[in-house]
Amino acid sequence: MRWGILSTASVGLRRIVPVLRQTPGLMQLQAIASRSQAAADAAAQAHGIPVAHGSYEALLADPQVDAIYNPLPNHLHVPLTLAAVQAGKHVLCEKPFSMNAAELAVLRPHASRVHIREAFMVRHHPQWTAVRQALRGGAIGTLRFMQVPFAYFNDDAANIRNIAATGGGALYDIGCYAIAAARWCFEREPERVVCAMERDPAFGTDRLSSGVLDFGPGGQMVFSVSTQAHRYQRLHLVGSAGRLEVEMPFNAAQGAPTRYWLEDAAGLRTIDLPPADQYLLQMEAFSRAVQAEAPTAAGLDEAEAGMRIIDALFASAASGRFEAVAKG
């Protein structure tokens, strides 16, 4: 699988470029693109990338590239993914995949020709697999509720996360992780949501969003996400017979061990997990899927389900009441 990186965005250079060299025979880093040839040349030279393209269009037209990693700003995820799939490229697109659920419809005609997936690397981390197995095995009884705090501090007006027009703000950037965690643990979709937002007076983005996802009788997730608060993240799961707490659920260090705590009638204990790199596992999984599986709309279905929840949360923040989550 020959990969092309669409832009010199930090997440691509720091997280994705290094792992594409770790599985020879499965993945190959072939090219990178920028809107300027100079920027592309600089990134290619610094990271040992064979080909540098001075436009996104040139990368998408490169016959030596099989798959595209798209880490562009949120408002460009769908337009550039559409251009890539029209060029016959498979696409792994950063989260959130779109600005709203309806925007994904233009990609569906291509889902049977190429693989199209949203890049939620956390779903590939062994700690997420371990948590799901613990829940399925009844380690804490029946899951009753979840709590997800997730925050960092960034008040740079020039940072893409603080530009409303391009999809900045806490709910898009990190609230999507809380939503993904809730859907992963409950293994179903919420019925309704409610959300309160505080917007930065200068940026217009939500710098603090808190909400409730109601999964029906006996299941709720409460979250607070902020772009202007002390850096912190946790995943708390409370069941009928115990609780589980994940120390670093979203930004686990690449190649480092992780741990979670499990408390039940026998007491509190620590479960240590071996080192893992969720970005490497994500890229390997996508590459293997392209090589061994027929393309389907499953990736778009998954992304759209998450976006319908984000749509409902924004609607609730505007209406001040619970909003139903649209059905697929």
Side-chain angles (χ1 to χ4, degrees):
M1 266 279 289
R2 299 168 298 180
W3 281 90
I5 309 294
L6 195 62
S7 93
T8 56
S10 176
V11 64
L13 297 179
R14 291 187 301 111
R15 304 296 191 186
I16 303 301
V17 167
V19 305
L20 286 175
R21 299 189 176 96
Q22 295 185 36
T23 314
L26 175 65
M27 302 183 297
Q28 174 185 326
L29 177 53
Q30 176 67 21
I32 191 165
S34 177
R35 288 172 294 183
S36 78
Q37 189 65 54
D41 288 340
Q45 183 175 3
H47 296 275
I49 303 171
V51 179
H53 291 292
S55 72
Y56 300 151
E57 293 76 14
L59 175 63
L60 301 184
D62 188 338
Q64 299 302 311
V65 171
D66 305 309
I68 297 293
Y69 170 70
N70 180 355
L72 291 167
N74 295 340
H75 73 301
L76 295 177
H77 283 175
V78 169
L80 268 296
T81 295
L82 178 61
V85 297
Q86 287 174 333
K89 311 299 187 186
H90 308 283
V91 179
L92 183 63
C93 181
E94 265 303 325
K95 56 76 201 167
F97 206 140
S98 60
M99 300 287 281
N100 55 67
E103 192 181 10
L104 292 167
V106 297
L107 300 176
R108 289 196 173 274
H110 306 277
S112 61
R113 291 193 306 110
V114 292
H115 289 260
I116 309 170
R117 292 188 185 178
E118 187 175 30
F120 262 118
M121 74 293 183
V122 291
R123 295 183 180 129
H124 299 273
H125 200 291
Q127 67 178 349
W128 276 50
T129 302
V131 166
R132 176 175 271 185
Q133 290 174 344
L135 293 173
R136 288 176 173 177
I140 63 172
T142 301
L143 177 59
R144 297 299 190 200
F145 67 90
M146 299 174 55
Q147 295 176 330
V148 180
F150 193 6
Y152 61 84
F153 197 96
N154 182 338
D155 61 356
D156 178 6
N159 189 282
I160 197 69
R161 294 171 180 81
N162 292 322
I163 301 175
T166 59
L171 185 56
Y172 276 136
D173 191 42
I174 52 179
C176 61
Y177 285 109
I179 292 167
R183 296 175 62 228
W184 180 267
C185 293
F186 279 111
E187 298 194 62
R188 61 182 188 272
E189 305 299 330
E191 298 176 2
R192 59 177 188 158
V193 302
V194 68
C195 183
M197 287 184 178
E198 180 195 6
R199 295 187 178 273
D200 185 284
F203 305 150
T205 56
D206 61 306
R207 62 183 177 187
L208 172 62
S209 287
S210 297
V212 177
L213 274 58
D214 182 0
F215 286 83
Q220 296 178 357
M221 189 274 280
V222 179
F223 72 90
S224 288
V225 292
S226 177
T227 58
Q228 294 182 29
H230 182 71
R231 181 176 292 272
Y232 181 69
Q233 59 180 270
R234 277 292 191 276
L235 176 60
H236 299 275
L237 307 172
V238 181
S240 59
R243 72 175 187 91
L244 192 153
E245 179 180 348
V246 182
E247 181 181 30
M248 192 62 65
F250 309 118
N251 293 135
Q254 288 182 262
T258 55
R259 64 178 179 176
Y260 66 90
W261 298 279
L262 179 63
E263 184 176 16
D264 56 17
L268 178 65
R269 56 192 180 276
T270 301
I271 290 84
D272 294 305
L273 299 172
D277 187 331
Q278 57 192 354
Y279 291 95
L280 173 62
L281 295 171
Q282 171 185 249
M283 302 307 287
E284 288 178 337
F286 188 88
S287 297
R288 290 191 177 104
V290 168
Q291 293 180 353
E293 301 172 14
T296 72
L300 289 177
D301 293 341
E302 179 69 24
E304 185 177 328
M307 289 310 304
R308 286 196 297 266
I309 298 169
I310 291 178
D311 289 348
L313 287 164
F314 275 118
S316 173
S319 70
R321 60 176 181 266
F322 270 97
E323 296 286 347
V325 177
K327 305 296 184 181

